[in-house]
Amino acid sequence: MNRTDEKLAELNQPKPWSGINAYRTDPLIVDLSANLHRSLREEFDAIGRYVTSHEAQELARMANQSPPQLRTHGVRGERLDTVEFHPAWHALMRRSMSAGLHSSVWDGQTDAKGAEHKARAVRFFLTAQLECGHLCPLTMTNASVAALMASPRVQKEWAPKILSRKYDSSNRPAMQKTAVTLGMGMTEKQGGTDVRANVTAATRAGDGIYRLSGHKWFMSAPMSDGFVMLAQMPEGMGCFLVPRLLEDGTANGLQFQRLKDKIGNRSNASSEVEFTDAFGYLLGEPGGGIRTILEMVTLTRLDCALASAGIMRASMAEAVHHVRGRAVFGKKLIDQPIMTRVLADMALDVAAATALSFRLADAFDRARDSAADAAYARVMTPVVKYWVCKMAPPLIYEAMECIGGSGYIEERAIARHYREAPVNAIWEGSGNVMALDVLRVLARGKDLFAMVFAELERDLGPSGKKTIEVLRVAMALCEKDEGAARLLVEQMALAAAAAELYRLGAGKIADAFLETRLAGGWRYTYGVLDARFDARYVIDLLYPPAA
């Protein structure tokens, strides 16, 4: 302990939460990744050390305190339509692209064969604990490959640039760069989530080539090298890849109107854009654009859940670290019974959210060869996205309260996590959209629910039969009353989270989660665990004290 730390200890101030391996100090994530190749686990260890380092935390701080700036015009009045980012942003992007957060699912690395989504999920979960804004373009780039696969000719041309791990921030045509990132443009002013109301129009200019005219109301990562967009065609809604620059380096008709002044996610730019006769490649069949882009959106929803679980873990870890080092009323905060109950209650939700998110990643890996996993991926993606993302804001606030007044300052990473927390529940489909998606599956594929429920009943053990009966009642209610959709979604999430904790052998953790979430009464706040559950055991197991 250096002299500064000694003085702070004398003042009852814990050391900053820094220099702690976010991978090695998370028993659940270590257990979830135990069956992955040793080289991957060594990589996770390096990422875990990096994300809590002082250097990395400073990059995250600077990238968010110096948000991107839009330059619409140059000195001669010419259109520029460029966005300038702080060097810290580029450093974060360079590091994360070198780790393959934008490409590792698709690049065929033998170490992760058969577990590509899971291996990437560990990297993403850990990196989210550092900074989420720069993950937005990496999420979209990763997911875009699913949409590009609908057009083999486009995929063949763009995939090598997408799979490259050599970050290139230069303002050049895509095919002249060492690597590219892709964004997405779906929503418009008049429709928002209702993309069928879009008015952007596409006119055929050649074989698979169209000209797009219209606008997008919320297009993030505007310095991406291309954008997957929706536009109306005579046959219906189409999906297109629209390059930002043409092959000669001139603009492709995209004019950025302004950047959104967002509550959080401030290191990342989100723009309003208008365009006339922008050149684009058709992806998939004419009129099949929504189906094509949903292949991309499904993958982004997994990332929303992983990021939310990540920032909840980081916030909880910081809170637990603080209460272990601060004394109040004659003893450490961690030893105060009411504080212990609050933290243990929160720890159950973070463990459940993490386990459930990784179960979904597993399903993505196995869906091609397993009908049961394909059913799980289709049914549970909106359920997991809904529940995990909605949990983050209140949980992170409670972690902030555990720290106290010093938690309510910008110098702490938890402030950034708190501002970030709402966005994953809003982007890529809000809560109501997720609930309606579940009802859509229910109307078209009830057999998928039967396969998922069979797995949950098996993994829940003695509680399985009664729990599934409750879910079937909620499902029947939703068939008569669309307004009850959230009831079904939340109950499915709780049941699936408990089932996954039991499948992982979480024992007392699973018991406590099941009895307080599925068998307990209505809860408004954390900290209402009763004495049957060993709160200190829960905390020390999931957040081990430093050696």
Side-chain angles (χ1 to χ4, degrees):
M1 183 180 292
N2 60 40
R3 184 56 186 153
T4 299
D5 289 339
E6 289 176 356
K7 287 183 177 180
L8 288 173
E10 292 170 3
L11 294 172
N12 196 22
Q13 290 290 329
K15 290 169 57 179
W17 188 77
S18 180
I20 299 162
N21 191 319
Y23 175 66
R24 287 292 167 198
T25 57
D26 187 342
L28 179 57
I29 208 71
V30 168
D31 185 59
L32 285 167
S33 60
N35 64 340
L36 297 177
H37 194 279
R38 179 179 176 179
S39 64
L40 293 173
R41 288 182 276 118
E42 290 173 350
E43 180 186 349
F44 303 152
D45 187 80
I47 295 173
R49 291 195 306 271
Y50 173 73
V51 298
T52 68
S53 68
H54 177 73
E55 171 198 357
Q57 292 291 327
E58 280 296 286
L59 290 175
R61 180 188 64 80
M62 291 186 289
N64 282 271
Q65 287 187 352
S66 303
Q69 301 294 317
L70 173 63
R71 295 185 65 200
T72 58
H73 293 81
V75 67
R76 298 169 298 173
E78 75 278 18
R79 293 289 314 194
L80 294 179
D81 294 293
T82 58
V83 180
E84 296 177 344
F85 291 84
H86 191 275
W89 162 274
H90 295 298
L92 292 168
M93 287 287 289
R94 189 174 299 108
R95 175 89 184 204
S96 291
M97 284 189 72
S98 70
L101 292 184
H102 67 300
S103 65
S104 61
V105 168
W106 313 101
D107 61 13
Q109 283 196 329
T110 56
D111 288 356
K113 187 173 178 60
E116 293 87 354
H117 286 283
K118 184 176 183 177
R120 178 182 175 274
V122 179
R123 299 183 185 102
F124 198 90
F125 172 83
L126 291 170
T127 307
Q129 297 181 43
L130 170 62
E131 205 282 324
C132 285
H134 81 289
L135 293 179
C136 177
L138 303 180
T139 283
M140 293 189 292
T141 303
N142 171 69
S144 70
V145 178
L148 266 59
M149 289 171 68
S151 177
R153 183 174 65 179
V154 177
Q155 181 191 7
K156 182 179 180 180
E157 182 179 12
W158 283 73
K161 301 294 183 181
I162 292 173
L163 299 183
S164 170
R165 297 190 179 194
K166 297 180 179 179
Y167 176 57
D168 186 345
S169 62
S170 63
N171 189 33
R172 294 187 293 169
M175 295 304 118
Q176 296 178 23
K177 299 179 66 170
T178 59
V180 300
T181 58
L182 297 184
M184 179 168 55
M186 291 179 65
T187 60
E188 298 180 5
K189 294 177 183 177
Q190 72 286 345
T193 298
D194 183 8
V195 294
R196 294 185 187 278
N198 285 8
V199 297
T200 294
T203 305
R204 191 174 184 273
D207 182 20
I209 300 172
Y210 288 74
R211 293 288 187 181
L212 279 66
S213 297
H215 80 281
K216 296 299 170 185
W217 178 231
F218 216 113
M219 195 170 77
S220 289
M223 285 307 288
S224 296
D225 300 288
F227 306 93
V228 179
M229 290 190 185
L230 294 177
Q232 296 285 359
M233 312 171 63
E235 299 87 349
M237 190 70 70
C239 184
F240 303 86
L241 174 61
V242 180
R244 186 170 57 82
L245 299 178
L246 298 174
E247 292 178 2
D248 63 0
T250 58
N252 188 22
L254 302 177
Q255 296 188 348
F256 299 118
Q257 304 302 300
R258 66 168 179 163
L259 301 183
K260 303 285 192 179
D261 187 8
K262 295 173 294 183
I263 293 172
N265 199 253
R266 296 188 67 81
S267 67
N268 176 42
S270 299
S271 68
E272 298 170 20
V273 63
E274 296 178 0
F275 42 90
T276 302
D277 288 335
F279 162 84
Y281 301 100
L282 177 65
L283 302 177
E285 296 297 321
I290 293 178
R291 181 172 61 253
T292 298
I293 207 166
L294 281 178
E295 294 292 325
M296 178 178 179
V297 170
T298 297
L299 294 176
T300 66
R301 289 173 177 171
L302 170 60
D303 280 7
C304 286
L306 290 167
S308 291
I311 59 176
M312 284 192 284
R313 172 71 197 188
S315 300
M316 267 294 294
E318 185 173 359
V320 172
H321 172 80
H322 179 84
V323 301
R324 282 194 173 122
R326 186 164 174 82
V328 175
F329 304 134
K331 55 183 175 181
K332 295 292 186 183
L333 269 172
I334 190 69
D335 297 322
Q336 298 284 358
I338 193 167
M339 177 64 79
T340 311
R341 299 271 180 97
V342 170
L343 288 167
D345 207 6
M346 296 161 67
L348 294 176
D349 272 353
V350 178
T354 303
L356 190 56
S357 298
F358 276 85
R359 172 64 185 94
L360 185 59
D362 272 334
F364 280 22
D365 279 323
R366 299 196 289 254
R368 181 173 296 180
D369 302 317
S370 165
D373 282 295
Y376 195 100
R378 180 62 190 96
V379 172
M380 294 302 297
T381 296
V383 173
V384 175
K385 199 267 189 189
Y386 173 98
W387 183 68
V388 175
C389 297
K390 281 193 172 299
M391 190 194 308
L395 188 140
I396 295 172
Y397 152 71
E398 195 75 55
M400 187 181 289
E401 184 176 306
C402 290
I403 297 172
S406 68
Y408 192 62
I409 57 174
E410 289 291 344
E411 286 85 350
R412 285 192 184 272
I414 198 170
R416 184 169 64 252
H417 300 326
Y418 184 64
R419 289 197 308 272
E420 187 74 27
V423 75
N424 288 317
I426 297 170
W427 283 359
E428 312 306 331
S430 62
N432 285 345
V433 173
M434 294 300 93
L436 291 172
D437 193 27
V438 172
L439 295 190
R440 192 175 299 111
V441 182
L442 179 60
R444 298 177 182 176
K446 212 168 185 178
D447 57 316
L448 301 180
F449 281 78
M451 284 192 277
V452 172
F453 287 178
E455 176 183 317
L456 301 187
E457 184 172 358
R458 179 198 69 210
D459 292 338
L460 284 168
S463 302
K465 184 177 180 181
K466 183 177 180 180
T467 301
I468 297 306
E469 287 175 358
V470 172
L471 293 183
R472 289 198 176 107
V473 170
M475 192 165 67
L477 177 61
C478 287
E479 291 179 309
K480 300 175 183 178
D481 178 13
E482 181 182 287
R486 285 190 174 212
L487 174 64
L488 173 62
V489 172
E490 184 157 331
Q491 290 301 306
M492 285 179 64
L494 294 172
E500 185 59 12
L501 288 172
Y502 277 116
R503 192 186 71 82
L504 293 171
K508 293 179 181 179
I509 302 297
D511 289 340
F513 182 84
L514 177 76
E515 293 187 38
T516 55
R517 271 61 176 175
L518 283 167
W522 189 264
R523 300 153 48 87
Y524 286 100
T525 61
Y526 286 104
V528 295
L529 287 176
D530 61 46
R532 289 179 300 149
F533 307 108
D534 188 339
R536 187 59 178 268
Y537 168 84
V538 171
I539 298 170
D540 289 345
L541 179 68
L542 295 171
Y543 299 83

